[in-house]
Amino acid sequence: MIAVVLGAPGSGKGTQSRLLSEKHHLSHVATGDILRSEIAMGTALGRQADGYVKKGQLVPDELVTAMLASRIERAPNDDYFLDGFPRNLRQAEELDKLLKRWDGRVDTALFLSLPAAEALKRLSARQICAKCGAVYNAVTKPVRKPGVCDACGGDVVARGDDAKETAVRRIAVYEKETTPLLDHYRRRGILREIDAAGDPIRVSRAMEAALADFWDHRDGDGSGGT
Ligand code: ADP
Ligand code: ZN
């Protein structure tokens, strides 16, 4: 199964995808996490991506698409939770082409819907672990010991690109580039909209219900496809 998660920066895509992937043994691929680790390691890809991420712009499609392809090629038969990819129509087309090589397709698109003002509020309080990527929030989900990750003891810091001006740009980029994907997947009948404003546990349950819906239909469909 290939699930993609769509939503504004701050909508909770990362936190929720990570959680559900673990619970249901799906491979979680978060392009933002991979880019941040490439940047931290100073790889060739990291050096090319750094400036874009810092400014809150999209990293060029060729770079991100190649990065994603090499990740999926390693285990094409895994079940995937794609978090942060695709982010525009071109990436969605590249993803379709890629998956077709193994007769796969995007099976379900989960859209975490959140008003921009609320997203911005969350980003301003967000903190992440520089080591394991765990996500915290200074207001709603603080670390137990200031600056230290509960999970791994790594340093917990604000993401550079969560600074107000950059966060505003990222939300604008999301609205212009990524929201057209909603119609793209809606037309295919696979878009599931989930209200991301409430309690994280409720959001998580709604996402699980959407996945279960897909699993039930797949299991009930003995036709073998085309
Ligand atoms: P968020 O969704 O909260 O903005 P991410 O961690 O998903 O955070 O992404 C952080 C940054 O990484 C983006 O602002 C962008 O610069 C880059 N990035 C991540 N995924 C992609 C992608 N699919 N295409 C282009 N750039 C990407
Ligand atoms: Zn950590």
Side-chain angles (χ1 to χ4, degrees):
M1 182 201 61
I2 309 286
V4 307
V5 186
L6 302 167
S11 61
K13 307 189 286 310
T15 309
Q16 295 287 359
S17 311
R18 189 183 267 246
L19 213 94
L20 291 181
S21 300
E22 249 169 53
K23 184 162 169 196
H24 296 281
H25 310 287
L26 310 172
S27 295
H28 177 215
V29 179
T31 45
D33 286 351
I34 302 175
L35 288 168
R36 276 186 293 280
S37 107
E38 297 276 336
I39 291 168
M41 291 187 298
T43 63
L45 171 60
R47 287 198 305 272
Q48 284 172 289
D50 193 25
Y52 297 100
V53 173
K54 267 199 191 113
K55 285 189 224 138
Q57 295 167 337
L58 294 188
V59 173
D61 293 334
E62 311 77 68
L63 293 178
V64 187
T65 302
M67 178 180 99
L68 183 92
S70 78
R71 180 68 181 69
I72 290 187
E73 276 160 1
R74 273 193 258 152
N77 298 316
D78 274 13
D79 289 325
Y80 281 98
F81 222 126
L82 302 184
D83 160 11
F85 190 100
R87 251 178 159 89
N88 61 26
L89 282 169
R90 222 181 117 208
Q91 293 182 7
E93 281 158 15
E94 291 299 323
L95 178 61
D96 289 342
K97 269 196 241 161
L98 178 74
L99 296 176
K100 219 177 246 165
R101 284 162 52 192
W102 302 281
D103 278 332
R105 70 198 64 78
V106 175
D107 297 298
T108 183
L110 308 181
F111 165 41
L112 296 185
S113 141
L114 189 73
E118 179 60 25
L120 206 58
K121 207 163 93 194
R122 289 189 189 177
L123 293 178
S124 71
R126 176 157 77 174
Q127 300 173 320
I128 66 161
C129 172
K131 197 161 152 204
C132 76
V135 182
Y136 299 94
N137 180 297
V139 182
T140 60
K141 194 193 171 204
V143 282
R144 284 196 290 264
K145 190 168 161 221
V148 181
C149 177
D150 295 352
C152 80
D155 287 341
V156 171
V157 293
R159 259 169 60 175
D161 64 346
D162 281 345
K164 179 83 186 283
E165 200 182 316
T166 316
V168 168
R169 152 122 20 101
R170 279 161 51 219
I171 289 176
V173 168
Y174 164 77
E175 275 167 359
K176 175 156 180 274
E177 300 281 331
T178 310
T179 54
L181 291 180
L182 300 177
D183 262 339
H184 177 79
Y185 291 123
R186 196 176 280 128
R187 275 198 297 272
R188 288 196 199 171
I190 60 169
L191 187 81
R192 299 290 303 254
E193 179 163 350
I194 292 154
D195 176 7
D199 167 19
I201 294 174
R202 203 187 41 72
V203 175
S204 185
R205 287 210 193 101
M207 290 173 79
E208 272 182 314
L211 291 177
D213 232 30
F214 167 73
W215 282 320
D216 291 350
H217 282 108
R218 178 185 57 182
D219 296 342
D221 172 21
S223 71
T226 55

